[in-house]
Amino acid sequence: MSAGFIFTLFFIALIYLIRKTFIIVPQQYCFVVERVGVFNGALEAGFHFLWPVIEVVKYRQNLKEIAIDIPPQMCITKDNVSISVDGILYLKVVDPYKASYAIENFMLATQQLAQTTLRSEIGKLILDQTFAERDDINSHVVRALDEATDPWGIKVTRYEIKNISPPKEILHEMEEQVKAERVKRAEITISEGEKLSRINRSVGEREEAINVSEGEKMKKINEADGKALEIEVIAAAKAKGIQMIAESISRDGGSEAVNLQITEDYLTGLGTVMSHSKTTILPAELANITGVFEGLSKLTGKLPEIKAPKEKEA
């Protein structure tokens, strides 16, 4: 055996001993150490020294939050509809000792447990509820998994359903149902709009009729007030005129003046009638014109005597 070969073996053994003796643990990791096959402690982040051969790092646990993809699986709803559901699970190691010795492969075990729990939760709901109650399903799965994985030193933080895929026939029926619901909502919206339009139109016509009637009412009231005021003014003027006539009659010559005024009004009215009428009927007194003027002379006492002119001497 040559010296070079021996040196190489010695060098390799030295490197191996150094790697097994001086341990550097990264941040957010924990190394589980066994001494002669028995748990001897957990090494946190930093530099550590181990006895070679006697002490060895048995498990390396990642303390970060881990995301596990849950593959699609067939679930049966309460109304006997088969759907495909997949999701993603988030967990982290909180006790490296339990995660190393309480379960063989905690990630695989947690994944299987998540699938069975999800099937159980989906079986409690009908198809429509699986779409509307995703948050409730997620919270129920997290609660069940957290209780089941607590002895393993695992903390399940959250679970999210990614896809829910019903069969094509169910999808088609759901699309038809959604279409029918849209048509129904559209018809309801149109009918509600027509209803409001009719109500608004009737209210407008009612208010218009009320306004018109109020206007007519005020117009009639104003006309009545105007007529009443007119009658009142005319009556007051007539009363004043009668009073003045009465005062004039009581004076000297008042009776003659009244008779003269009456005669003038009579003749004026008669002239108006004769000018506008084709057929005229005269009172019997007017047949004798001389008698008329004599009557006027008697009424007034002011008609002068008419004398014939004297003839000149030849």
Side-chain angles (χ1 to χ4, degrees):
M1 196 178 284
S2 63
F5 181 73
I6 295 174
F7 179 77
T8 302
L9 291 177
F10 177 77
F11 182 75
I12 294 174
L14 181 61
I15 295 299
Y16 176 78
L17 290 175
I18 292 174
R19 289 187 61 187
K20 296 298 183 180
T21 302
F22 302 101
I23 303 299
I24 298 177
V25 180
Q27 187 67 34
Q28 289 296 323
Y29 277 85
C30 182
F31 291 177
V32 177
V33 178
E34 290 183 355
R35 178 179 292 178
V36 194
V38 181
F39 174 74
N40 189 45
L43 303 181
E44 297 180 354
F47 178 79
H48 301 275
F49 173 81
L50 297 178
W51 292 103
V53 181
I54 299 175
E55 294 179 342
V56 295
V57 176
K58 186 65 174 178
Y59 299 100
R60 289 175 171 83
Q61 301 294 352
N62 185 358
L63 303 181
K64 300 176 184 178
E65 189 171 5
I66 305 171
I68 303 176
D69 188 38
I70 307 299
Q73 61 174 333
M74 295 304 298
C75 302
I76 300 177
T77 62
K78 189 176 181 179
D79 50 351
N80 296 324
V81 178
S82 297
I83 58 177
S84 176
V85 185
D86 61 348
I88 185 168
L89 179 67
Y90 297 86
L91 56 85
K92 65 186 301 184
V93 176
V94 294
D95 191 337
Y97 175 80
K98 292 181 179 179
S100 301
Y101 296 102
I103 189 72
E104 179 64 27
N105 187 341
F106 67 86
M107 295 187 66
L108 178 61
T110 306
Q111 177 181 338
Q112 296 296 325
L113 185 60
Q115 289 181 320
T116 57
T117 305
L118 180 62
R119 287 197 295 268
S120 176
E121 293 296 329
I122 294 295
K124 299 176 183 178
L125 304 173
I126 61 176
L127 180 61
D128 294 339
Q129 292 176 334
T130 58
F131 296 99
E133 300 183 6
R134 285 195 178 191
D135 293 338
D136 294 337
I137 297 173
N138 295 335
S139 61
H140 292 165
V141 172
V142 169
R143 189 181 306 113
L145 291 178
D146 194 40
E147 293 177 358
T149 58
D150 184 65
W152 304 342
I154 305 301
K155 175 67 177 178
V156 177
T157 55
R158 59 185 180 273
Y159 177 82
E160 296 293 337
I161 295 176
K162 292 194 296 184
N163 297 304
I164 298 177
S165 303
K168 294 182 179 180
E169 298 80 7
I170 301 298
L171 278 177
H172 180 70
E173 293 178 0
M174 293 175 63
E175 290 175 357
E176 293 295 329
Q177 182 179 1
V178 170
K179 188 184 297 183
E181 288 292 334
R182 289 175 181 171
V183 173
K184 176 182 176 182
R185 287 196 299 267
E187 292 178 353
I188 291 174
T189 302
I190 293 173
S191 64
E192 289 292 336
E194 293 178 352
K195 176 183 176 182
L196 292 176
S197 176
R198 292 178 180 177
I199 291 175
N200 292 335
R201 191 180 298 112
S202 63
V203 171
E205 293 176 353
R206 176 175 175 269
E207 292 180 354
E208 180 183 3
I210 292 174
N211 292 335
V212 171
S213 64
E214 289 291 335
E216 293 292 334
K217 176 183 176 182
M218 294 302 299
K219 178 181 178 182
K220 291 180 179 180
I221 291 174
N222 293 333
E223 290 178 352
D225 291 341
K227 290 181 180 180
L229 182 61
E230 180 183 2
I231 294 171
E232 183 178 355
V233 172
I234 293 174
K238 287 183 178 181
K240 186 175 181 181
I242 291 173
Q243 183 179 2
M244 294 176 66
I245 292 172
E247 292 177 354
S248 298
I249 292 174
S250 62
R251 296 175 183 174
D252 294 338
S255 299
E256 291 78 2
V258 170
N259 292 330
L260 179 62
Q261 183 65 39
I262 294 172
T263 302
E264 289 179 355
D265 293 340
Y266 175 77
L267 292 176
T268 301
L270 182 62
T272 302
V273 172
M274 293 176 66
S275 63
H276 291 83
S277 178
K278 294 181 179 180
T279 302
T280 304
I281 299 176
L282 296 177
E285 293 81 358
L286 293 181
N288 188 359
I289 300 300
T290 305
V292 172
F293 284 101
E294 288 179 354
L296 291 174
S297 175
K298 291 179 181 179
L299 290 174
T300 60
K302 298 180 181 180
L303 184 66
E305 182 180 356
I306 300 175
K307 295 182 179 181
K310 294 181 180 182
E311 295 180 357
K312 294 181 179 181
E313 294 180 357

